[in-house]
């Protein structure tokens, strides 16, 4: 990396990104005002902004954001814990992994969306069915990464720790878990994203609260402005979650060397 | 610090040891056979032999990481079962944990021994200083050079105060200058601590410069010690200066006469 030119390059990039955004929004607004786009189907940025502002002003949107956040968080936590647990069990017990290998493959290959109605049936319209749905998405990503992470641990590294006096529990805590964590963290964006997808899609299919419900509701009323406003709130939400994940990742992976690709650029 | 075991006792004894491996095509490859070897307490023994003859395998037997198929491994007179708790092992490969700092890596052995954190940290700092890494305590392995990582690994091995130190070509990957510095540091520390050392190398000059005795391993398969040469060069030594000693050259020629044959044999047999 050529230091010095980096901040300028970054500012240039940010400015270009902002310009693209402004241009697109302006084009949309103008096209809609000139009736090139039918406002009934396409709404317009100013109306969308106004709606979003009203939602926040009246406070009615907060409960939806809260519910979606809660579902996302729970799906992520439960899916990750299960994934780490089962991933470890499989990696440390070849017998277990041989027996269950075909089941895991089939379960992972199945389009999970078909489960959503069943979960609604089992767990009702509340947050539980959304969490369960999100868990089925998150679980496999974390599971595969944990399994890989544990299997990839270098034999010499393990032997070195053993020679230094590590018990099996020490190995788990100081070598195997951190090693798996590297892999799990590398998929953190994906798994958090999937937890969110699970929550929103679940809400969309049947619920009384949440950002997915908000969008679905507007859609049912042919309220295009409402749909776009819901999408804007969702996009903002995703952005915030992603920033949070990035900062957690940066903190936990601070020991990592910068990737060679980044260095070469 | 623990009192060193009385000199003259036998720290390591291999008797008729044999170790084989399964080959990918379903056969069996006998790496070591009929290996007899004794290392006295406080002695620095260098083990040389052609690449692939079974030097690392022999160290693994002494470390208790591999059991022999036949024969006995004794440590201070008792048969070895499982991991050798009285030895530490400096591996050929990089084995530091990348997510731990130099200091955390060095204190690992103490953490496993349930030494309180603060005490472990204090000792780790002291050891880092002894291997010349003061000020690098909070660096992660990727922020250190290859030579520095080896120093951290050395400190990591020495902090647990092992009676026996096994070393597998520890300096093979280093450039000549770094290597000579580290060899001298190792000799200085050994002089102070009088550990029993079993040092594997494929570099005969290094073997002579460091050790009290050079053991030559034959080419595989069924490798075994085929020659032993006491090194009675004066101590304390400087590895660069000791090479200029006429006795060094004489010893080198005698050992090389034997080793060359094994190296050629290994080369002809191929891997
Ligand atoms: N785990 C293993 N599985 C199969 N073969 C092995 C294994 N470890 C060592 N060998 C074989 O045993 C021989 C000796 O290996 P090694 O002890 O590593 O040699 P050296 O350290 O002298 O270079 C080699 O031919 C190697 O291929
Ligand atoms: Mg080797």
């Amino acid at each position: 990396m050529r230091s010095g030119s980096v901040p300028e390059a970054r500012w240039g990039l940010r400015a270009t990104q902002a310009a693209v955004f402004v241009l697109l929004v302006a084009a949309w607004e103008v096209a809609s005002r000139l009736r090139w786009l039918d406002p009934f189907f396409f709404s317009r940025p100013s109306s969308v902004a106004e709606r979003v502002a009203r939602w926040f002003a009246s406070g009615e949107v907060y409960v939806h954001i809260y519910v979606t956040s809660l579902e996302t968080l729970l799906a992520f936590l439960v899916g990750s814990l299960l994934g780490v647990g089962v991933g470890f069990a499989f990696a440390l017990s070849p017998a277990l992994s041989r027996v269950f290998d075909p089941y895991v493959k089939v379960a992972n290959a199945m389009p999970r969306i078909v489960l959503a109605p069943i979960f609604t049936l089992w767990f009702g319209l509340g947050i539980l069915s959304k969490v369960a749905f999100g868990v089925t998405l998150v679980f496999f990503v974390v599971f595969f990464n944990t399994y890989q992470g544990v299997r990839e641990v270098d034999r010499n590294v393990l032997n070195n720790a053993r020679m230094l006096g590590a018990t099996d529990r020490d190995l788990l805590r100081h070598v195997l878990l951190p090693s798996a964590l590297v892999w799990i963290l590398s998929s953190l964006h994906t798994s958090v994203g999937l937890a969110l997808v699970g929550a929103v899609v679940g809400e969309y299919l049947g619920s009384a609260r949440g950002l997915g419900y908000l969008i679905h509701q507007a859609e049912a009323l042919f309220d295009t402005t409402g749909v776009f406003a819901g999408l804007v709130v969702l996009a903002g939400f995703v952005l915030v979650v992603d920033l949070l994940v990035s900062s957690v990742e940066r903190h936990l992976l601070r020991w990592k060397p910068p990737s060679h690709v980044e260095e070469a650029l | 610090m623990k009192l060193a075991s009385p000199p003259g006792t036998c720290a390591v004894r291999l008797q008729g040891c044999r170790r084989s491996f399964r080959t990918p095509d379903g056969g069996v490859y006998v790496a070591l056979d009929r290996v007899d070897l004794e290392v006295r307490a406080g002695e620095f023994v260098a083990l040389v032999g052609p690449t692939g003859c079974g030097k690392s395998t022999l160290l693994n037997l002494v470390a208790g990481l591999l059991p022999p198929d036949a024969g006995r491994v004794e440590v201070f007179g008792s048969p070895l079962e499982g991991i050798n708790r009285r030895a530490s092992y400096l591996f050929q490969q990089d084995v530091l944990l990348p997510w731990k700092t130099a200091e955390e890596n060095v204190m690992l052995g103490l953490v496993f021994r349930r030494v309180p954190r603060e005490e472990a940290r204090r000792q780790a700092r002291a050891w880092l200083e002894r291997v010349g890494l003061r000020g690098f305590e909070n660096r992660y392995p990727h922020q250190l050079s290859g030579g520095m990582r080896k120093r951290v690994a050395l400190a990591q091995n020495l902090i647990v105060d092992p009676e026996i130190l096994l070393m597998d070509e520890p300096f093979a990957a280093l450039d000549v200058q770094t290597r000579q510095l580290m060899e001298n540091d190792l000799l200085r520390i050994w002089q102070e601590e009088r550990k029993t050392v079993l040092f594997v190398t494929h570099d005969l000059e290094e073997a002579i410069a460091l050790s009290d005795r050079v053991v030559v391993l034959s080419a595989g398969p069924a490798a075994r010690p085929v020659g032993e040469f006491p090194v009675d060069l004066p101590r304390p030594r400087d590895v660069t200066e000791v090479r200029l000693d006429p006795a060094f050259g004489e010893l080198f020629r005698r050992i090389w006469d034997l080793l060359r044959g094994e190296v050629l044999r290994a080369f002809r047999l191929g891997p």
Side-chain angles (χ1 to χ4, degrees):
Chain A
M1 244 187 239
R2 280 149 299 160
S3 50
S5 69
V6 170
E8 292 152 48
R10 178 162 298 167
W11 279 116
L13 184 64
R14 289 277 177 270
T16 315
Q17 285 169 341
V20 168
F21 178 76
V22 169
L23 214 68
L24 282 176
V25 170
W28 181 7
E29 180 77 32
V30 170
S32 156
R33 282 190 189 279
L34 296 178
R35 299 274 160 177
W36 294 343
L37 292 173
D38 186 340
F40 180 77
F41 290 110
F42 293 94
S43 186
R44 68 177 56 141
S46 51
S47 325
V48 172
E50 193 193 334
R51 179 73 63 91
V52 172
R54 204 170 69 219
W55 279 349
F56 277 96
S58 72
E60 63 189 297
V61 76
Y62 291 116
V63 63
H64 300 294
I65 293 179
Y66 167 74
V67 166
T68 302
S69 311
L70 189 65
E71 289 163 352
T72 304
L73 189 69
L74 286 176
F76 172 73
L77 288 180
V78 175
S80 296
L81 284 178
L82 283 177
V84 168
V86 179
F88 257 94
F90 274 47
L92 298 178
S93 156
L96 201 65
S97 69
R98 268 199 297 274
V99 170
F100 282 97
D101 182 62
Y103 295 100
V104 170
K105 288 224 174 82
V106 169
N108 184 42
M110 201 152 64
R112 246 57 58 73
I113 188 93
V114 301
L115 292 174
I118 299 181
F119 284 154
T120 310
L121 215 61
W122 288 350
F123 300 115
L125 289 173
I127 69 166
L128 221 53
S129 55
K130 286 82 197 171
V131 172
F133 182 50
V135 166
T136 64
L137 298 174
V138 173
F139 169 80
F140 285 96
V141 175
V142 176
F143 163 75
F144 283 121
N145 279 294
T146 305
Y147 182 75
Q148 195 74 1
V150 176
R151 297 303 298 264
E152 299 272 306
V153 175
D154 186 70
R155 213 172 34 136
N156 293 307
V157 170
L158 277 177
N159 281 338
N160 186 51
R162 276 212 191 89
M163 287 304 295
L164 291 171
T167 61
D168 284 351
R169 267 194 56 202
D170 290 328
L171 285 183
L172 202 65
R173 161 145 182 238
H174 291 276
V175 184
L176 295 174
L177 260 178
S179 165
L181 202 62
V182 175
W183 284 74
I184 297 165
L185 285 175
S186 72
S187 62
L188 198 61
H189 285 278
T190 317
S191 46
V192 171
L194 284 175
L196 182 63
V197 167
V200 172
V201 171
E203 288 162 1
Y204 188 86
L205 291 177
S207 69
R209 282 197 190 112
L211 293 176
Y213 163 80
L214 204 61
I215 294 169
H216 184 63
Q217 207 50 14
E219 223 170 58
L221 299 171
F222 295 104
D223 172 14
T224 338
T225 307
V227 172
F228 280 117
L231 288 175
V232 166
V233 175
L234 187 59
F237 182 71
V238 171
L239 210 67
V240 171
V241 169
D242 206 58
L243 284 175
L244 277 175
V245 169
S246 290
S247 81
V248 167
E249 190 181 44
R250 246 198 318 279
H251 177 73
L252 288 174
L253 292 181
R254 63 194 180 283
W255 54 269
K256 261 204 129 163
S259 83
H260 299 302
V261 180
E262 274 169 47
E263 257 171 10
L265 287 176
Chain B
M1 204 166 295
K2 250 182 315 225
L3 232 121
S5 12
T9 56
C10 198
V12 176
R13 174 183 286 139
L14 302 182
Q15 280 178 323
C17 280
R18 177 190 150 93
R19 174 70 209 197
S20 48
F21 295 104
R22 295 216 164 281
T23 54
D25 54 24
V28 170
Y29 179 83
V30 180
L32 297 171
D33 198 12
R34 286 180 293 146
V35 173
D36 298 318
L37 179 70
E38 286 189 7
V39 184
R40 285 183 296 279
E43 193 182 18
F44 195 129
V45 170
L47 195 62
V48 294
T51 315
C53 72
K55 302 183 295 291
S56 300
T57 305
L58 197 155
L59 278 194
N60 287 334
L61 292 183
V62 177
L65 291 171
L66 283 179
D69 306 335
R72 288 164 65 81
V73 182
E74 278 179 17
V75 178
F76 290 105
S78 351
L80 178 63
E81 274 169 42
I83 300 277
N84 187 342
R85 291 269 153 250
R86 303 175 80 163
S88 77
Y89 194 156
L90 188 57
F91 285 80
Q92 184 172 5
Q93 299 82 0
D94 244 334
V95 291
L96 297 179
L97 298 178
W99 48 84
K100 289 192 187 280
T101 61
E103 185 177 290
E104 290 164 345
N105 266 292
V106 172
M107 61 194 264
L108 216 48
L110 297 183
V111 171
F112 296 155
R113 280 165 182 71
R114 312 293 178 246
V115 173
R117 287 270 163 177
E118 272 322 300
E119 171 61 16
R121 206 170 279 285
R122 197 186 56 75
Q123 289 190 35
R125 283 207 200 102
W127 267 108
L128 279 169
E129 184 158 356
R130 272 186 89 176
V131 296
L133 284 180
R134 194 182 163 169
F136 292 90
E137 295 85 358
N138 295 321
R139 297 274 191 106
Y140 288 101
H142 83 269
Q143 298 167 321
L144 300 170
S145 70
M148 288 170 164
R149 285 201 292 270
K150 275 292 168 213
R151 284 169 190 274
V152 174
L154 182 63
Q156 185 185 54
N157 273 263
L158 290 171
I159 201 171
V160 298
D161 197 17
E163 291 164 275
I164 303 166
L165 186 54
L166 308 173
M167 306 179 81
D168 193 358
E169 309 199 23
F171 310 140
L174 305 180
D175 63 90
V176 180
Q177 281 86 18
T178 311
R179 184 176 178 153
Q180 289 179 349
L181 284 175
M182 284 209 66
E183 287 167 353
N184 277 332
D185 285 348
L186 173 65
L187 279 185
R188 178 175 48 75
I189 292 169
W190 177 76
Q191 205 83 33
E192 291 161 9
E193 307 259 327
R194 285 298 168 158
K195 309 279 182 207
T196 307
V197 180
L198 187 51
F199 187 100
V200 162
T201 174
H202 60 247
D203 178 350
L204 183 52
E205 285 200 34
E206 181 177 53
I208 299 172
L210 294 177
S211 73
D212 297 322
R213 184 155 55 105
V214 177
V215 174
V216 179
L217 220 55
S218 70
R224 60 195 198 86
V226 288
E228 288 199 6
F229 301 83
V231 181
D232 37 22
L233 297 166
R235 293 204 191 258
R237 295 177 198 162
D238 177 291
V239 291
T240 30
E241 280 164 22
V242 79
R243 285 178 165 92
L244 306 174
D245 192 317
F248 184 98
E250 172 59 26
L251 197 55
F252 185 92
R253 265 189 301 281
R254 276 176 48 218
I255 306 178
W256 180 238
D257 269 346
L258 177 63
L259 185 57
R260 185 180 48 208
E262 297 303 329
V263 170
L264 285 174
R265 211 151 65 78
F267 181 70
R268 283 204 208 94
L269 288 170

